Amino acid sequence: MITIEELKNLGADVETGLSRCVGNEALYLKLVGMGLGDAKFEELGAALGADDLGKAFELCHALKGVIGNLALTPLYEALSDMTEKLRAREEADYQTMYSNIIEIRSKFWKS
């Protein structure tokens, strides 16, 4: 399991995340693990692979909310960028964006 110090070093806003858990470090770390382990990450990849941008938007938007509440800033920013591009149905290299999201997630998530 990742530590508070490691989260800080990776750019997470740990103070905000902890405040949302009333300072309960164990709860925060448990929620971080649950959020990073969310199956929606893999579902997002599948939706993008199927070129289902509507489904991809829904999944990405949901993940953005979870990760934002956990204050995992670098991952939140990557999800936000993809969410807005999907919302606008912009032409984009979504596979590369998704790969970047998964790479950032892997730095946070020690399963």
Side-chain angles (χ1 to χ4, degrees), residues 10-21:
L10 290 169
D13 182 358
V14 172
E15 290 76 23
T16 298
L18 278 171
S19 72
R20 292 184 177 135
C21 294

Side-chain angles (χ1 to χ4, degrees), residues 29-43 63 66-67 70 72 75 102 105-106 108-111:
L29 291 173
K30 179 180 178 180
L31 292 173
V32 165
M34 290 172 62
L36 293 170
D38 194 322
K40 286 181 184 69
F41 281 102
E42 286 68 36
E43 292 171 25
L63 286 168
V66 169
I67 297 303
L70 295 170
L72 304 177
L75 187 54
I102 296 304
R105 174 193 182 207
S106 73
F108 283 100
W109 192 31
K110 296 182 179 185
S111 55

Side-chain angles (χ1 to χ4, degrees), residues 39-63 82-83 86-87 89 94 98:
K40 286 181 184 69
F41 281 102
E42 286 68 36
E43 292 171 25
L44 174 59
L48 291 169
D51 205 31
D52 186 346
L53 298 185
K55 178 77 170 174
F57 168 74
E58 291 174 16
L59 292 164
C60 196
H61 189 265
L63 286 168
M82 181 183 272
T83 297
L86 286 166
R87 182 188 316 272
R89 298 290 194 262
Y94 290 113
Y98 176 71

